Amino acid sequence: MFHSTVSSMGQDLEKWGADVIFGREKGFAAGVARLVFRVFSWIFAVVVRIRLLLFRLGLKGQARLGVKVVSIGNLTMGGTGKTPVVEFFCKALIKRGRKPVILSRGYKSRKLEERQVWRGQREEEPGDFPKVVSDGERLRLAVEFAGDEPYMLAKNLLPGVGVVVDRDRVKGGRFAVKELGADILLLDDGLQYLKLDHAVDVVLVDAERPFGTDALIPRGTLREPPANLSRANYIFVTRCHQPLSDAQIGRLQKYNKTAPIIQTRHAPQYLEDVFIEGKRLELSDLKGKYVAAMSGIAVPESFERLLTELGADVMFHRTFGDHQVFPQKDVDAVFTRALERDVDFIVTTEKDAVRFPRPTEINVPLYFLRIEVEIIEGEEEWEACLERLCNPPELTACEWWRQRSLAGIS
């Protein structure tokens, strides 16, 4: 009971902090917090610059694993729609005959309660190999141990794509190459993970908020200054409602004049029942319907706006912190309120759906909105990116053995 109370208080505080950063929280306390956060942002900026300099000068080492590592990340904390882009990359690589494995740190995932068996290695201590969410053939972990995004990716990319979770993604990468046969690694949210050498850096930028709140953590959502967009080999602009204006493109090219810019939209596909697999509704079924929304994502406003654009009348939207566990009492309260407001159904995001607890009573249907990435500008640049990833130059026998040795593979 005590642990549950402390956890709930921690989640409430985290959400309050996010609301302060995004300006959703008003009042004296929020104003003071923003001033304090601003001071710590200056300190954070110095730490970021020093850390990058140490890697740039070679004073901090980077591991090479003998296969290409593609980092898909961003300069900001969440809000760019990264998970559908990772899925988009994997599907394209599979079509081209590659065997990708996703490396994730499994943000907010629980530690394993029992040893995960991998090919009979029962004698191994936990931690000697990473958590295997999927081996490319089946799911091997529940969502609470995998993390919501790794679990969602693993589920959607079966069969064919493995997903490995470990804070030490060098260890995870070695495991993926040796045990899962990966010939290309996708480093999920990897721009800031520099212990593993990146062959290609794909940086995601939200069309409406390219640099988040334009302030560094903790005052804002930037993990690095906008000038560090220069590290991108490719810039993926997400959530484009229409092609970017010259001014928007110019703002990106101010920091990176050479990286191809690929413009994408997060296109809604259909609604699927959270508890009845395969039961779907067409997007047209949202038109004119009274719905309630429930989400735990970085920018809940974008989700609500999307539902409205699809023709739904959003009666209310219950929001939680990003990746937050939904307390049972709060879930039941939402369903009770939805019943009282006589809504047609409740809608959540796919990421939230994988960790959604079953309500005490399902008196209102619950659906998640399926989203997929579509390119609206930059198709040629996208094809060139795939060509670069899938057709590396031929290695000599000596170079091949050297890379295998660097990866620790016999």
PDB file of all heavy atoms in Angstrom, residues 76-102:
ATOM      1  N   THR A  76      14.985  16.294 -28.718  1.00  0.00           N
ATOM      2  CA  THR A  76      14.045  16.626 -27.658  1.00  0.00           C
ATOM      3  C   THR A  76      13.627  15.385 -26.877  1.00  0.00           C
ATOM      4  O   THR A  76      13.870  14.253 -27.291  1.00  0.00           O
ATOM      5  CB  THR A  76      12.780  17.287 -28.235  1.00  0.00           C
ATOM      6  OG1 THR A  76      12.138  16.368 -29.128  1.00  0.00           O
ATOM      7  CG2 THR A  76      13.124  18.555 -28.980  1.00  0.00           C
ATOM      8  N   MET A  77      12.967  15.620 -25.753  1.00  0.00           N
ATOM      9  CA  MET A  77      12.410  14.531 -24.961  1.00  0.00           C
ATOM     10  C   MET A  77      11.030  14.173 -25.512  1.00  0.00           C
ATOM     11  O   MET A  77      10.049  14.866 -25.252  1.00  0.00           O
ATOM     12  CB  MET A  77      12.260  14.971 -23.496  1.00  0.00           C
ATOM     13  CG  MET A  77      13.548  15.123 -22.751  1.00  0.00           C
ATOM     14  SD  MET A  77      13.257  15.773 -21.082  1.00  0.00           S
ATOM     15  CE  MET A  77      12.130  14.531 -20.435  1.00  0.00           C
ATOM     16  N   GLY A  78      10.958  13.115 -26.294  1.00  0.00           N
ATOM     17  CA  GLY A  78       9.672  12.623 -26.775  1.00  0.00           C
ATOM     18  C   GLY A  78       8.930  13.624 -27.641  1.00  0.00           C
ATOM     19  O   GLY A  78       9.416  14.707 -27.962  1.00  0.00           O
ATOM     20  N   GLY A  79       7.726  13.209 -28.045  1.00  0.00           N
ATOM     21  CA  GLY A  79       6.849  14.107 -28.778  1.00  0.00           C
ATOM     22  C   GLY A  79       7.053  14.150 -30.275  1.00  0.00           C
ATOM     23  O   GLY A  79       6.359  14.874 -30.986  1.00  0.00           O
ATOM     24  N   THR A  80       8.029  13.368 -30.812  1.00  0.00           N
ATOM     25  CA  THR A  80       8.264  13.399 -32.258  1.00  0.00           C
ATOM     26  C   THR A  80       7.655  12.204 -32.983  1.00  0.00           C
ATOM     27  O   THR A  80       7.751  12.113 -34.203  1.00  0.00           O
ATOM     28  CB  THR A  80       9.771  13.445 -32.560  1.00  0.00           C
ATOM     29  OG1 THR A  80      10.398  12.322 -31.943  1.00  0.00           O
ATOM     30  CG2 THR A  80      10.397  14.723 -32.040  1.00  0.00           C
ATOM     31  N   GLY A  81       7.041  11.279 -32.246  1.00  0.00           N
ATOM     32  CA  GLY A  81       6.445  10.113 -32.905  1.00  0.00           C
ATOM     33  C   GLY A  81       7.491   9.148 -33.406  1.00  0.00           C
ATOM     34  O   GLY A  81       7.411   8.649 -34.530  1.00  0.00           O
ATOM     35  N   LYS A  82       8.468   8.868 -32.562  1.00  0.00           N
ATOM     36  CA  LYS A  82       9.620   8.054 -32.968  1.00  0.00           C
ATOM     37  C   LYS A  82       9.269   6.594 -33.235  1.00  0.00           C
ATOM     38  O   LYS A  82       9.788   5.994 -34.194  1.00  0.00           O
ATOM     39  CB  LYS A  82      10.706   8.161 -31.889  1.00  0.00           C
ATOM     40  CG  LYS A  82      11.910   7.260 -32.057  1.00  0.00           C
ATOM     41  CD  LYS A  82      12.944   7.530 -31.009  1.00  0.00           C
ATOM     42  CE  LYS A  82      12.379   7.478 -29.626  1.00  0.00           C
ATOM     43  NZ  LYS A  82      11.761   6.163 -29.286  1.00  0.00           N
ATOM     44  N   THR A  83       8.421   5.995 -32.413  1.00  0.00           N
ATOM     45  CA  THR A  83       8.162   4.556 -32.526  1.00  0.00           C
ATOM     46  C   THR A  83       7.626   4.152 -33.894  1.00  0.00           C
ATOM     47  O   THR A  83       8.103   3.173 -34.478  1.00  0.00           O
ATOM     48  CB  THR A  83       7.207   4.103 -31.393  1.00  0.00           C
ATOM     49  OG1 THR A  83       7.787   4.465 -30.137  1.00  0.00           O
ATOM     50  CG2 THR A  83       6.998   2.611 -31.425  1.00  0.00           C
ATOM     51  N   PRO A  84       6.637   4.859 -34.466  1.00  0.00           N
ATOM     52  CA  PRO A  84       6.196   4.493 -35.825  1.00  0.00           C
ATOM     53  C   PRO A  84       7.289   4.627 -36.874  1.00  0.00           C
ATOM     54  O   PRO A  84       7.295   3.885 -37.864  1.00  0.00           O
ATOM     55  CB  PRO A  84       5.047   5.473 -36.097  1.00  0.00           C
ATOM     56  CG  PRO A  84       4.559   5.884 -34.747  1.00  0.00           C
ATOM     57  CD  PRO A  84       5.789   5.920 -33.892  1.00  0.00           C
ATOM     58  N   VAL A  85       8.234   5.546 -36.657  1.00  0.00           N
ATOM     59  CA  VAL A  85       9.334   5.699 -37.612  1.00  0.00           C
ATOM     60  C   VAL A  85      10.282   4.506 -37.528  1.00  0.00           C
ATOM     61  O   VAL A  85      10.754   4.000 -38.553  1.00  0.00           O
ATOM     62  CB  VAL A  85      10.090   7.025 -37.375  1.00  0.00           C
ATOM     63  CG1 VAL A  85      11.312   7.118 -38.295  1.00  0.00           C
ATOM     64  CG2 VAL A  85       9.174   8.214 -37.610  1.00  0.00           C
ATOM     65  N   VAL A  86      10.575   4.036 -36.318  1.00  0.00           N
ATOM     66  CA  VAL A  86      11.407   2.847 -36.149  1.00  0.00           C
ATOM     67  C   VAL A  86      10.750   1.658 -36.848  1.00  0.00           C
ATOM     68  O   VAL A  86      11.412   0.882 -37.563  1.00  0.00           O
ATOM     69  CB  VAL A  86      11.636   2.536 -34.654  1.00  0.00           C
ATOM     70  CG1 VAL A  86      12.397   1.219 -34.485  1.00  0.00           C
ATOM     71  CG2 VAL A  86      12.407   3.670 -33.979  1.00  0.00           C
ATOM     72  N   GLU A  87       9.452   1.511 -36.670  1.00  0.00           N
ATOM     73  CA  GLU A  87       8.717   0.431 -37.339  1.00  0.00           C
ATOM     74  C   GLU A  87       8.801   0.576 -38.853  1.00  0.00           C
ATOM     75  O   GLU A  87       8.983  -0.409 -39.586  1.00  0.00           O
ATOM     76  CB  GLU A  87       7.260   0.462 -36.881  1.00  0.00           C
ATOM     77  CG  GLU A  87       6.405  -0.655 -37.443  1.00  0.00           C
ATOM     78  CD  GLU A  87       4.989  -0.633 -36.916  1.00  0.00           C
ATOM     79  OE1 GLU A  87       4.768  -0.231 -35.751  1.00  0.00           O
ATOM     80  OE2 GLU A  87       4.076  -1.036 -37.680  1.00  0.00           O
ATOM     81  N   PHE A  88       8.681   1.808 -39.333  1.00  0.00           N
ATOM     82  CA  PHE A  88       8.755   2.108 -40.764  1.00  0.00           C
ATOM     83  C   PHE A  88      10.103   1.676 -41.334  1.00  0.00           C
ATOM     84  O   PHE A  88      10.181   1.051 -42.405  1.00  0.00           O
ATOM     85  CB  PHE A  88       8.534   3.611 -40.951  1.00  0.00           C
ATOM     86  CG  PHE A  88       8.501   4.092 -42.365  1.00  0.00           C
ATOM     87  CD1 PHE A  88       7.465   3.747 -43.216  1.00  0.00           C
ATOM     88  CD2 PHE A  88       9.508   4.920 -42.855  1.00  0.00           C
ATOM     89  CE1 PHE A  88       7.421   4.215 -44.530  1.00  0.00           C
ATOM     90  CE2 PHE A  88       9.478   5.396 -44.155  1.00  0.00           C
ATOM     91  CZ  PHE A  88       8.435   5.041 -45.000  1.00  0.00           C
ATOM     92  N   PHE A  89      11.182   1.987 -40.632  1.00  0.00           N
ATOM     93  CA  PHE A  89      12.526   1.597 -41.059  1.00  0.00           C
ATOM     94  C   PHE A  89      12.645   0.074 -41.110  1.00  0.00           C
ATOM     95  O   PHE A  89      13.164  -0.485 -42.087  1.00  0.00           O
ATOM     96  CB  PHE A  89      13.573   2.164 -40.092  1.00  0.00           C
ATOM     97  CG  PHE A  89      14.219   3.429 -40.560  1.00  0.00           C
ATOM     98  CD1 PHE A  89      13.589   4.644 -40.370  1.00  0.00           C
ATOM     99  CD2 PHE A  89      15.451   3.411 -41.181  1.00  0.00           C
ATOM    100  CE1 PHE A  89      14.189   5.829 -40.791  1.00  0.00           C
ATOM    101  CE2 PHE A  89      16.065   4.583 -41.610  1.00  0.00           C
ATOM    102  CZ  PHE A  89      15.422   5.802 -41.412  1.00  0.00           C
ATOM    103  N   CYS A  90      12.194  -0.594 -40.061  1.00  0.00           N
ATOM    104  CA  CYS A  90      12.338  -2.054 -39.997  1.00  0.00           C
ATOM    105  C   CYS A  90      11.620  -2.747 -41.140  1.00  0.00           C
ATOM    106  O   CYS A  90      12.162  -3.673 -41.768  1.00  0.00           O
ATOM    107  CB  CYS A  90      11.807  -2.569 -38.660  1.00  0.00           C
ATOM    108  SG  CYS A  90      12.919  -2.252 -37.273  1.00  0.00           S
ATOM    109  N   LYS A  91      10.408  -2.327 -41.435  1.00  0.00           N
ATOM    110  CA  LYS A  91       9.650  -2.950 -42.515  1.00  0.00           C
ATOM    111  C   LYS A  91      10.340  -2.757 -43.859  1.00  0.00           C
ATOM    112  O   LYS A  91      10.357  -3.674 -44.693  1.00  0.00           O
ATOM    113  CB  LYS A  91       8.224  -2.384 -42.543  1.00  0.00           C
ATOM    114  CG  LYS A  91       7.356  -2.867 -41.386  1.00  0.00           C
ATOM    115  CD  LYS A  91       5.946  -2.294 -41.459  1.00  0.00           C
ATOM    116  CE  LYS A  91       5.071  -2.872 -40.355  1.00  0.00           C
ATOM    117  NZ  LYS A  91       3.697  -2.308 -40.369  1.00  0.00           N
ATOM    118  N   ALA A  92      10.912  -1.575 -44.066  1.00  0.00           N
ATOM    119  CA  ALA A  92      11.623  -1.317 -45.322  1.00  0.00           C
ATOM    120  C   ALA A  92      12.885  -2.165 -45.427  1.00  0.00           C
ATOM    121  O   ALA A  92      13.217  -2.691 -46.497  1.00  0.00           O
ATOM    122  CB  ALA A  92      11.970   0.164 -45.425  1.00  0.00           C
ATOM    123  N   LEU A  93      13.597  -2.331 -44.315  1.00  0.00           N
ATOM    124  CA  LEU A  93      14.823  -3.134 -44.325  1.00  0.00           C
ATOM    125  C   LEU A  93      14.517  -4.610 -44.534  1.00  0.00           C
ATOM    126  O   LEU A  93      15.243  -5.313 -45.249  1.00  0.00           O
ATOM    127  CB  LEU A  93      15.577  -2.930 -43.004  1.00  0.00           C
ATOM    128  CG  LEU A  93      16.194  -1.543 -42.799  1.00  0.00           C
ATOM    129  CD1 LEU A  93      16.682  -1.370 -41.371  1.00  0.00           C
ATOM    130  CD2 LEU A  93      17.330  -1.304 -43.792  1.00  0.00           C
ATOM    131  N   ILE A  94      13.436  -5.095 -43.933  1.00  0.00           N
ATOM    132  CA  ILE A  94      13.021  -6.494 -44.132  1.00  0.00           C
ATOM    133  C   ILE A  94      12.712  -6.755 -45.606  1.00  0.00           C
ATOM    134  O   ILE A  94      13.095  -7.786 -46.171  1.00  0.00           O
ATOM    135  CB  ILE A  94      11.787  -6.810 -43.258  1.00  0.00           C
ATOM    136  CG1 ILE A  94      12.187  -6.963 -41.794  1.00  0.00           C
ATOM    137  CG2 ILE A  94      11.081  -8.063 -43.736  1.00  0.00           C
ATOM    138  CD1 ILE A  94      12.943  -8.232 -41.482  1.00  0.00           C
ATOM    139  N   LYS A  95      12.025  -5.819 -46.242  1.00  0.00           N
ATOM    140  CA  LYS A  95      11.677  -5.977 -47.663  1.00  0.00           C
ATOM    141  C   LYS A  95      12.920  -6.063 -48.535  1.00  0.00           C
ATOM    142  O   LYS A  95      12.898  -6.673 -49.601  1.00  0.00           O
ATOM    143  CB  LYS A  95      10.801  -4.803 -48.119  1.00  0.00           C
ATOM    144  CG  LYS A  95       9.353  -4.890 -47.659  1.00  0.00           C
ATOM    145  CD  LYS A  95       8.543  -3.724 -48.212  1.00  0.00           C
ATOM    146  CE  LYS A  95       7.090  -3.806 -47.757  1.00  0.00           C
ATOM    147  NZ  LYS A  95       6.291  -2.652 -48.240  1.00  0.00           N
ATOM    148  N   ARG A  96      14.008  -5.457 -48.068  1.00  0.00           N
ATOM    149  CA  ARG A  96      15.253  -5.470 -48.832  1.00  0.00           C
ATOM    150  C   ARG A  96      16.176  -6.604 -48.418  1.00  0.00           C
ATOM    151  O   ARG A  96      17.356  -6.622 -48.773  1.00  0.00           O
ATOM    152  CB  ARG A  96      15.965  -4.118 -48.696  1.00  0.00           C
ATOM    153  CG  ARG A  96      15.205  -2.996 -49.398  1.00  0.00           C
ATOM    154  CD  ARG A  96      16.054  -1.775 -49.548  1.00  0.00           C
ATOM    155  NE  ARG A  96      15.412  -0.794 -50.407  1.00  0.00           N
ATOM    156  CZ  ARG A  96      16.040  -0.041 -51.297  1.00  0.00           C
ATOM    157  NH1 ARG A  96      17.350  -0.198 -51.473  1.00  0.00           N
ATOM    158  NH2 ARG A  96      15.402   0.838 -52.026  1.00  0.00           N
ATOM    159  N   GLY A  97      15.642  -7.535 -47.644  1.00  0.00           N
ATOM    160  CA  GLY A  97      16.395  -8.734 -47.331  1.00  0.00           C
ATOM    161  C   GLY A  97      17.339  -8.627 -46.164  1.00  0.00           C
ATOM    162  O   GLY A  97      18.154  -9.541 -45.940  1.00  0.00           O
ATOM    163  N   ARG A  98      17.241  -7.545 -45.387  1.00  0.00           N
ATOM    164  CA  ARG A  98      18.123  -7.414 -44.243  1.00  0.00           C
ATOM    165  C   ARG A  98      17.470  -8.013 -42.994  1.00  0.00           C
ATOM    166  O   ARG A  98      16.272  -8.284 -42.966  1.00  0.00           O
ATOM    167  CB  ARG A  98      18.469  -5.939 -43.976  1.00  0.00           C
ATOM    168  CG  ARG A  98      19.101  -5.234 -45.154  1.00  0.00           C
ATOM    169  CD  ARG A  98      20.290  -5.996 -45.737  1.00  0.00           C
ATOM    170  NE  ARG A  98      21.390  -6.125 -44.791  1.00  0.00           N
ATOM    171  CZ  ARG A  98      22.396  -5.276 -44.703  1.00  0.00           C
ATOM    172  NH1 ARG A  98      22.465  -4.224 -45.508  1.00  0.00           N
ATOM    173  NH2 ARG A  98      23.371  -5.470 -43.832  1.00  0.00           N
ATOM    174  N   LYS A  99      18.290  -8.223 -41.960  1.00  0.00           N
ATOM    175  CA  LYS A  99      17.791  -8.783 -40.714  1.00  0.00           C
ATOM    176  C   LYS A  99      18.060  -7.788 -39.582  1.00  0.00           C
ATOM    177  O   LYS A  99      19.049  -7.885 -38.859  1.00  0.00           O
ATOM    178  CB  LYS A  99      18.459 -10.129 -40.416  1.00  0.00           C
ATOM    179  CG  LYS A  99      17.774 -10.867 -39.254  1.00  0.00           C
ATOM    180  CD  LYS A  99      18.267 -12.277 -39.113  1.00  0.00           C
ATOM    181  CE  LYS A  99      17.499 -12.996 -38.000  1.00  0.00           C
ATOM    182  NZ  LYS A  99      17.941 -14.385 -37.823  1.00  0.00           N
ATOM    183  N   PRO A 100      17.157  -6.826 -39.418  1.00  0.00           N
ATOM    184  CA  PRO A 100      17.373  -5.815 -38.381  1.00  0.00           C
ATOM    185  C   PRO A 100      16.974  -6.309 -36.995  1.00  0.00           C
ATOM    186  O   PRO A 100      16.084  -7.148 -36.839  1.00  0.00           O
ATOM    187  CB  PRO A 100      16.443  -4.672 -38.825  1.00  0.00           C
ATOM    188  CG  PRO A 100      15.335  -5.365 -39.552  1.00  0.00           C
ATOM    189  CD  PRO A 100      15.951  -6.561 -40.219  1.00  0.00           C
ATOM    190  N   VAL A 101      17.643  -5.800 -35.995  1.00  0.00           N
ATOM    191  CA  VAL A 101      17.260  -6.001 -34.597  1.00  0.00           C
ATOM    192  C   VAL A 101      17.248  -4.625 -33.933  1.00  0.00           C
ATOM    193  O   VAL A 101      18.151  -3.815 -34.160  1.00  0.00           O
ATOM    194  CB  VAL A 101      18.223  -6.941 -33.857  1.00  0.00           C
ATOM    195  CG1 VAL A 101      17.937  -6.933 -32.357  1.00  0.00           C
ATOM    196  CG2 VAL A 101      18.102  -8.365 -34.395  1.00  0.00           C
ATOM    197  N   ILE A 102      16.224  -4.369 -33.145  1.00  0.00           N
ATOM    198  CA  ILE A 102      16.075  -3.092 -32.459  1.00  0.00           C
ATOM    199  C   ILE A 102      16.724  -3.179 -31.084  1.00  0.00           C
ATOM    200  O   ILE A 102      16.492  -4.133 -30.332  1.00  0.00           O
ATOM    201  CB  ILE A 102      14.584  -2.722 -32.312  1.00  0.00           C
ATOM    202  CG1 ILE A 102      13.931  -2.576 -33.694  1.00  0.00           C
ATOM    203  CG2 ILE A 102      14.414  -1.443 -31.500  1.00  0.00           C
ATOM    204  CD1 ILE A 102      12.419  -2.505 -33.644  1.00  0.00           C
TER     205      ILE A 102
END
